[in-house]
Amino acid sequence: MTDAAMMKAVIFRRYGPPQRLSLQEVPVPRPAPGEILVRVRATTVNRTDTATLRAHPFFARAMTGLLRPRMQTLGMDFAGIVDGLGDGVTAFQSGDRVFGLLPERFGAHAEYLCLPADGALAHIPGDLRFDEAVVGEGAWYASSTTGLLSEGQRCLIYGASGAIGTAAVQLAKSRGAEVTAVVGMRHLDLAKRLGADRIINYEDEGFTSIAETFDLVFDAVGKISWFTCRRLLNQNGIFAATDLGPYWSNILLGIWFGITGSRRVRVPYPENAPEFVRYLAELMAEGRFRGVFDSSYPLEDIVEAFRFVETGQKTGIVVINVQ
Ligand SMILES: NC(=O)c1ccc[n+]([C@@H]2O[C@H](COP(=O)([O-])OP(=O)(O)OC[C@H]3O[C@@H](n4cnc5c(N)ncnc54)[C@H](OP(=O)(O)O)[C@@H]3O)[C@@H](O)[C@H]2O)c1
């Protein structure tokens, strides 16, 4: 009997702060029938990872494990090389460069991972590097809101400098919407580069006093509420947010407006990750979507990366390079 091949993976066995994470040697997983084995070259630390590590909000434990996490390795985004195929896989070959998402199972903070060949993955378009292809998490969350837009509609994206906000501007533009981006001073140029039609600095302009109304106001960083910006909404305008809002107001208002039938406040949850990743690959191949990257860390320094992401100050995406 041969010894199982080993790999490095970032393990956590209890919810809590980043120091609960430790780099350990564990067996390389084996692809089951219909699965592929990916050698991970890049992943990210994002707000889903940090929230899951701390089990925040508390009710998320219903999905991730009540007392202890069901999964032991976080990491939702990956880019890497196909290194093994389970029985019956024909869509990929060993050596293919792929990227994708692991929304339910996580597991990308490791040297290898397995996932179903029909899961949320696609070939990396063109000559994009691995660290340029780990763009899924923020874009997937953004897509659940930008999917509400149609050609010619007007939207305001508040906090257009985070992972979700930078993706939201590009996805809204790709749907033909007119975009007003609200960002801090240091991100004005970034919002312009992403294609925003109008840019407002939240530090020196009261964005709620502009004389315009929108079909959609999207709070991409969980900092405003329907109460502060309802006058920016046109008659059928929707307020959508990535977060629960103060005192869970977004959830409660969402339920209330759902009962009244108007659905004016929403906290959309993204769906159908496999289809979205393939759509994102098309957008990237056409040069209509590019990730915005803040900084990168080696896998060994992942605790530091978690600490930084938890500050809520990153611009776009924080990459982990896995050698
Ligand atoms: N529970 C979950 O599983 C989950 C998952 C994903 C996302 N989310 C939520 O979705 C939100 C966005 O996630 P993300 O990954 O896109 O965030 P992020 O990348 O961490 O967002 C950071 C950006 O927000 C900007 N920002 C901070 N305060 C701001 C303010 N008052 N007004 C406008 N911009 C501000 C920062 O720029 P400056 O401060 O320099 O202006 C920074 O560029 C977060 O609230 C997160 O909790 C939740």
Side-chain angles (χ1 to χ4, degrees):
M1 204 167 106
T2 53
D3 288 340
M6 300 298 278
M7 67 169 185
K8 286 182 192 152
V10 181
I11 303 290
F12 81 121
R13 298 189 202 281
R14 289 169 59 206
Y15 296 118
Q19 51 271 34
R20 290 269 158 85
L21 301 165
S22 68
L23 197 60
Q24 296 184 14
E25 291 271 322
V26 297
V28 174
R30 286 176 181 219
E35 287 191 338
I36 61 170
L37 175 71
V38 176
R39 182 179 166 206
V40 181
R41 298 296 303 273
T43 178
T44 66
V45 174
N46 55 57
R47 298 288 291 269
T48 306
D49 295 318
T50 57
T52 306
L53 175 63
R54 289 192 183 262
H56 175 80
F58 189 83
F59 65 73
R61 288 172 186 246
M63 285 175 285
T64 58
L66 201 57
L67 300 176
R68 285 173 188 265
R70 258 181 240 123
M71 80 294 272
Q72 296 194 335
T73 298
L74 291 166
M76 203 167 143
D77 281 306
F78 67 88
I81 302 167
V82 175
D83 203 316
L85 304 172
D87 289 345
V89 176
T90 52
F92 295 94
Q93 295 183 343
S94 283
D96 284 357
R97 290 165 17 97
V98 293
F99 79 104
L101 271 177
L102 302 167
E104 279 100 30
R105 53 166 76 191
F106 294 85
H109 293 167
E111 289 179 319
Y112 290 88
L113 59 85
C114 284
L115 84 162
D118 60 358
L121 84 162
H123 289 98
I124 296 175
D127 55 3
L128 275 188
R129 298 191 313 261
F130 296 112
D131 61 351
E132 293 174 320
V134 278
V135 294
E137 188 258 6
W140 190 49
Y141 279 99
S143 71
S144 58
T145 295
T146 55
L148 301 170
L149 288 164
S150 43
E151 176 98 34
Q153 285 197 308
R154 293 155 57 82
C155 74
L156 179 142
I157 297 169
Y158 184 90
S161 56
I164 297 177
T166 51
V169 173
Q170 298 180 75
L171 293 176
K173 288 302 298 175
S174 74
R175 294 185 71 85
E178 195 184 311
V179 175
T180 296
V182 184
V183 290
M185 180 74 179
R186 71 185 178 113
H187 301 301
L188 297 177
D189 283 346
L190 168 67
K192 194 171 177 187
R193 281 202 310 278
L194 293 175
D197 301 285
R198 178 179 177 176
I199 300 148
I200 298 176
N201 176 1
Y202 73 79
E203 294 167 60
D204 67 13
E205 240 182 289
F207 77 98
T208 54
S209 58
I210 59 172
E212 278 179 54
T213 58
F214 298 89
D215 300 288
L216 174 71
V217 172
F218 178 28
D219 176 11
V221 283
K223 299 286 182 188
I224 56 173
S225 73
W226 177 77
F227 295 104
T228 49
C229 57
R230 63 188 163 179
R231 56 162 301 283
L232 293 174
L233 296 169
N234 64 26
Q235 206 180 1
N236 298 312
I238 292 169
F239 174 78
T242 52
D243 242 305
L244 306 177
Y247 307 106
W248 291 30
S249 57
N250 293 333
I251 297 288
L252 297 174
L253 286 166
I255 294 169
W256 169 249
F257 282 114
I259 291 167
T260 63
S262 75
R263 304 208 59 211
R264 298 200 70 184
V265 175
R266 304 188 195 186
V267 185
Y269 191 80
E271 290 170 356
N272 205 340
E275 192 179 302
F276 177 70
V277 168
R278 289 190 280 273
Y279 171 66
L280 198 57
E282 274 172 35
L283 287 183
M284 290 199 292
E286 292 163 7
R288 296 163 72 201
F289 188 97
R290 282 287 180 272
V292 172
F293 296 97
D294 184 299
S295 46
S296 59
Y297 297 77
L299 191 63
E300 289 71 19
D301 291 344
I302 200 160
V303 170
E304 211 178 302
F306 267 79
R307 287 199 182 109
F308 173 54
V309 173
E310 282 193 330
T311 64
Q313 293 303 304
K314 69 180 166 67
T315 304
I317 296 164
V318 166
V319 174
I320 302 295
N321 287 311
V322 184
Q323 295 303 323

